[in-house]
Amino acid sequence: MKLLFWISTTIIIYHYLGYGILITFLSKLKEKKAQLPRLKDEDLPAVTLVIAAYNEEEIIKEKIKNSVSLDYPENKLNILFVTDGSTDQTNELIENHPQVNLSYKSQRAGKIGAINRIMPKIESPITIFSDANVMINEDGLKKLVAHFQNNMVGGVSGEKTILQSGLENASSSGEGLYWKYESFLKQKDAEWNTLVGSAGELIAIRTHLYRSIAPDTIIEDFVMSMELASKGYKVAYEPRALAQETASESVFEEKKRKVRISAGGIQAVIKLLPLLNFLRHGKLTFQYVSHRALRWTLVPLALIAVLLTAPLLAPMGWFYDLALRTQLIFYLLAFVGYSIREMKTKNKYLHVPYYFTFMNICVILGWFQYFSGKQTVIWKKAKRAELIQP
């Protein structure tokens, strides 16, 4: 029982704290490379901005306006909306804007089905993927493309940014804080070796490196970037290329998103089993296991094990007693957070214990969703909150 407690405690502390400290130290030891020069407009490569959209009539005009206003030479930027299966006014609204192109198929096969269908038709050397509900900063594309001056870079991930108004519920404040920590880890991962996983909201790749992804893949952006890294290419990180969106409207909406991602996470671990080979992939395997695979496999089980063993071990020493009391206080705060989960407050840290617990519960729910066969590549998107200033 003590062995189970200590192994579980080590996994939790390592994943949430230890790896961050270790990768920060390793990145500082790495020799810093000179900053890539800014490319002149005439030297920029042609790019295709691919936006997969399904029934996005509420946001599509704003997305088109954002896309055509990006600072990139007009003759080198092809904006392509792929709207397979859309049944609302999305297609009609796109067709009203001659600056953008539309590819449509009546059958809906999910985002990855749409991407697989359109990629063989793309001729530009660089393809940039973006979601319909995110807005890109004006020079975001130039920031992404600059990394391709390094021939070993196969893909570049932008930065997902959660727009917040100041008064946030648990979903908004929790997601915002989570992404700030994720951004820090991604920066250090990329500085030391390569990014492990990408923000599907904004990612660029060399078009010729794209390989059709299995149509049942749930989180295709993660699998695509990891396959690039497994082939020896660097997946770079550009925090100044922003994919900006609001948080989920409510915890209920965030739950749908988190469970889907968690189902995709356990699927990805299974699909990417060769990446667990330390002898072959070395640094990449270390990053992948530490940053991603543990989160989708052992960490939730470790949290349960520590919670169940601590009461039985508490009489055996002060440390076990302290571990029990600390957990009880933490989960009590999580319950308080649950009771005020939709209350908007400026003090975002009130929601942290609840959001942490909520995320790990969603991982477990994601396991059941995936292994029961209920999670498909087609899902109902989570409703996003409106950005209201306090």
Side-chain angles (χ1 to χ4, degrees), residues 112 115-116 119 205-213 224:
I112 187 56
I115 297 299
N116 281 339
M119 283 303 291
I205 70 165
R206 295 188 190 274
T207 305
H208 76 277
L209 294 179
Y210 183 83
R211 297 294 179 268
S212 182
I213 297 174
M224 178 174 64

Side-chain angles (χ1 to χ4, degrees), residues 12-13 22 45 60 94 141 154 173 242 256 273 293 339 348 371:
I12 295 166
I13 294 175
L22 184 56
I60 203 69
I94 294 172
L141 300 192
S173 59
L242 306 178
K256 292 193 297 186
L273 280 177
S339 65
K348 300 175 177 58
F371 288 112

Side-chain angles (χ1 to χ4, degrees), residues 22 34 48 85 145 151 160-161 191 199 227 266 279 296 299 313 347 380 384:
L22 184 56
T48 300
V145 167
N151 291 330
K160 176 179 175 177
T161 303
E191 287 176 1
E227 288 183 344
I266 192 65
L279 296 178
W296 292 324
V299 167
L313 295 172
N347 190 348
K380 187 176 181 181
R384 290 285 170 174

Side-chain angles (χ1 to χ4, degrees), residues 15-286:
H15 177 69
Y16 285 112
L17 183 62
Y19 178 65
I21 295 172
L22 184 56
I23 197 67
T24 299
F25 174 73
L26 292 173
S27 69
K28 287 184 180 297
L29 295 180
K30 188 76 177 286
E31 183 180 350
K32 303 297 181 183
K33 294 183 179 180
Q35 190 171 5
L36 294 168
R38 181 185 178 93
L39 291 171
K40 297 179 180 179
D41 282 4
E42 58 266 28
D43 296 325
L44 289 169
V47 304
T48 300
L49 177 61
V50 176
I51 302 149
Y54 171 74
N55 285 355
E56 296 283 3
E57 63 181 6
E58 295 180 358
I59 195 76
I60 203 69
K61 287 198 289 187
E62 185 179 353
K63 180 63 176 180
I64 293 171
K65 181 180 178 181
N66 172 253
S67 299
V68 300
S69 67
L70 295 173
D71 179 19
Y72 208 87
E74 187 176 345
N75 64 328
K76 294 185 176 182
L77 175 60
N78 175 31
I79 302 170
L80 176 61
F81 285 85
V82 187
T83 62
D84 292 3
S86 290
T87 56
D88 64 357
Q89 298 298 307
T90 297
N91 291 340
E92 288 80 355
L93 293 170
I94 294 172
E95 289 173 337
N96 289 335
H97 295 81
Q99 312 99 306
V100 302
N101 298 304
L102 171 66
S103 179
Y104 169 72
K105 184 179 179 180
S106 59
Q107 182 180 1
R108 186 187 181 197
K111 180 179 178 181
I112 187 56
I115 297 299
N116 281 339
R117 179 179 70 80
I118 202 67
M119 283 303 291
K121 303 176 183 178
I122 292 178
E123 299 178 351
S124 61
I126 304 297
T127 301
I128 301 175
F129 302 101
S130 175
D131 287 347
N133 66 318
V134 302
M135 303 301 147
I136 304 171
N137 57 319
E138 186 177 7
D139 62 346
L141 300 192
K142 286 185 175 179
K143 299 294 187 187
L144 288 174
V145 167
H147 288 269
F148 290 108
Q149 295 176 77
N150 180 346
N151 291 330
M152 290 308 298
V153 170
V156 188
S157 176
E159 168 66 0
K160 176 179 175 177
T161 303
I162 302 300
L163 299 172
Q164 296 180 317
S165 62
L167 294 174
E168 311 295 339
N169 61 13
S171 172
S172 182
S173 59
E175 190 178 355
L177 290 169
Y178 166 79
W179 273 104
K180 285 180 181 178
Y181 183 58
E182 269 298 297
S183 298
F184 170 78
L185 290 181
K186 287 191 291 185
Q187 180 75 57
K188 300 307 173 186
D189 274 337
E191 287 176 1
W192 185 60
N193 182 35
T194 184
L195 198 65
V196 283
S198 60
E201 292 81 1
L202 184 60
I203 178 173
I205 70 165
R206 295 188 190 274
T207 305
H208 76 277
L209 294 179
Y210 183 83
R211 297 294 179 268
S212 182
I213 297 174
D216 66 339
T217 305
I218 299 168
I219 49 173
E220 75 293 328
D221 49 330
F222 178 80
V223 172
M224 178 174 64
S225 59
M226 291 306 298
E227 288 183 344
L228 281 174
S230 70
K231 294 173 183 175
Y233 291 98
K234 177 180 173 65
V235 180
Y237 171 58
E238 180 45 74
R240 297 170 299 173
L242 306 178
Q244 303 168 98
E245 64 179 333
T246 57
S248 299
E249 182 181 67
S250 64
V251 171
F252 174 76
E253 294 296 327
E254 178 71 352
K255 177 186 171 185
K256 292 193 297 186
R257 197 179 70 85
K258 285 290 186 189
V259 170
R260 175 183 64 79
I261 292 173
S262 298
I266 192 65
Q267 181 198 53
V269 170
I270 296 170
K271 283 180 174 289
L272 299 172
L273 280 177
L275 280 182
L276 299 181
N277 187 341
F278 277 93
L279 296 178
R280 181 175 181 182
H281 296 289
K283 294 165 71 173
L284 178 61
T285 298
F286 161 67

